[in-house]
Amino acid sequence: GAGVSQSPSNKVTEKGKDVELRCDPISGHTALYWYRQSLGQGLEFLIYFQGNSAPDKSGLPSDRFSAERTGGSVSTLTIQRTQQEDSAVYLCASSLVRDSLGGGYTFGSGTRLTVV
Amino acid sequence: SQQGEEDPQALSIQEGENATMNCSYKTSINNLQWYRQNSGRGLVHLILIRSNEREKHSGRLRVTLDTSKKSSSLLITASRAADTASYFCAMSSGSARQLTFGSGTQLTVLP
């Protein structure tokens, strides 16, 4: 597609439920990143996928968070047993180059997650 | 970790004035990038400056990088109300694949 697409744009869920957030990167972009941003804060790195390599999961805050990327394209971020502190905007980005050395990221519009 | 600090946290200026935002970081970088964010949603890449560059221009944007002071500045000249947004610096360091983002500056341009 023309840009990075994320769905849903907004999600309200009850505490304890599982949620799945989807990211469809720009076609041909081999690198895909998930970040989250709490209200008024900067971006917190969660996970990075590059081609068929093992993902860098070093930013995932707990084992309730997981992500996969199927076929080197679409990615799904899953949060199990959601907690109120998981409320944030979850941003996905993709890039053409192998890593961040060569250029910038293209971000999606994000999913605003609210846990009530 | 390589966390960027931005200064000021918030900046309010009149349309037509110049806006300067600063970013400081802790360890050596490969490149530094600036992004803009409207309404807490997706970020838009503005400009990238490499560690061996000192200044870069793009339209009304001017970025400087001082690796000896581990700092960068973003200057927006002749600001417009439409420039109102949050601006983030982001650093690429070492072999890390992901960018580390600063805390952001909220710029308000008053008409």
Side-chain angles (χ1 to χ4, degrees):
Chain A
V4 177
S5 178
Q6 289 189 247
S7 61
S9 56
N10 289 283
K11 176 72 176 178
V12 180
T13 189
E14 291 181 353
K15 178 181 173 181
K17 295 286 179 86
D18 297 352
V19 295
E20 282 190 356
L21 312 179
R22 177 187 168 105
C23 173
D24 199 343
I26 290 175
S27 178
H29 278 195
T30 57
L32 186 148
Y33 311 81
W34 282 97
Y35 286 81
R36 79 175 171 182
Q37 184 178 30
S38 300
L39 187 63
Q41 302 297 311
L43 276 71
E44 175 189 4
F45 167 73
L46 297 177
I47 189 169
Y48 159 74
F49 294 90
Q50 169 58 50
N52 295 322
S53 302
D56 177 351
K57 305 178 182 180
S58 61
L60 294 179
S62 79
D63 59 8
R64 295 186 295 105
F65 288 72
S66 63
E68 63 178 19
R69 188 179 184 191
T70 55
S73 181
V74 172
S75 176
T76 303
L77 176 69
T78 301
I79 309 173
Q80 296 178 310
R81 304 180 304 281
T82 52
Q83 304 294 313
Q84 288 184 330
E85 61 263 29
D86 298 334
S87 296
V89 176
Y90 288 81
L91 292 161
C92 175
S94 68
S95 66
L96 179 60
V97 296
R98 184 173 185 272
D99 54 36
S100 59
L101 294 177
Y105 295 178
T106 302
F107 277 86
S109 297
T111 295
R112 184 179 301 279
L113 175 66
T114 303
V115 182
V116 297
Chain B
S1 64
Q2 177 67 299
Q3 184 67 36
E5 294 292 332
E6 294 193 52
D7 170 60
Q9 289 187 344
L11 178 62
S12 184
I13 59 173
Q14 293 294 134
E15 205 164 26
E17 295 180 337
N18 296 340
T20 299
M21 289 158 273
N22 303 296
C23 171
S24 60
Y25 55 91
K26 295 178 181 176
T27 63
S28 61
I29 59 171
N30 302 314
N31 67 60
L32 187 143
Q33 305 177 29
W34 286 89
Y35 288 79
R36 165 195 167 124
Q37 182 181 41
N38 288 85
S39 304
R41 288 295 192 162
L43 282 73
V44 175
H45 180 253
L46 296 176
I47 196 167
L48 178 152
I49 187 165
R50 300 185 191 282
S51 59
N52 61 352
E53 297 175 312
R54 291 299 166 255
E55 187 170 316
K56 204 159 184 181
H57 296 254
S58 177
R60 293 185 295 112
L61 305 180
R62 173 178 169 248
V63 170
T64 61
L65 179 65
D66 187 335
T67 53
S68 66
K69 294 182 179 178
K70 292 186 170 59
S71 67
S72 174
S73 66
L74 171 67
L75 168 68
I76 304 174
T77 60
S79 63
R80 305 167 182 168
D83 295 329
T84 295
S86 292
Y87 292 82
F88 292 87
C89 62
M91 286 68 65
S92 165
S93 303
S95 60
R97 299 295 188 252
Q98 70 275 14
L99 293 176
T100 301
F101 285 80
S103 49
T105 293
Q106 172 61 51
L107 172 67
T108 301
V109 181
L110 303 170

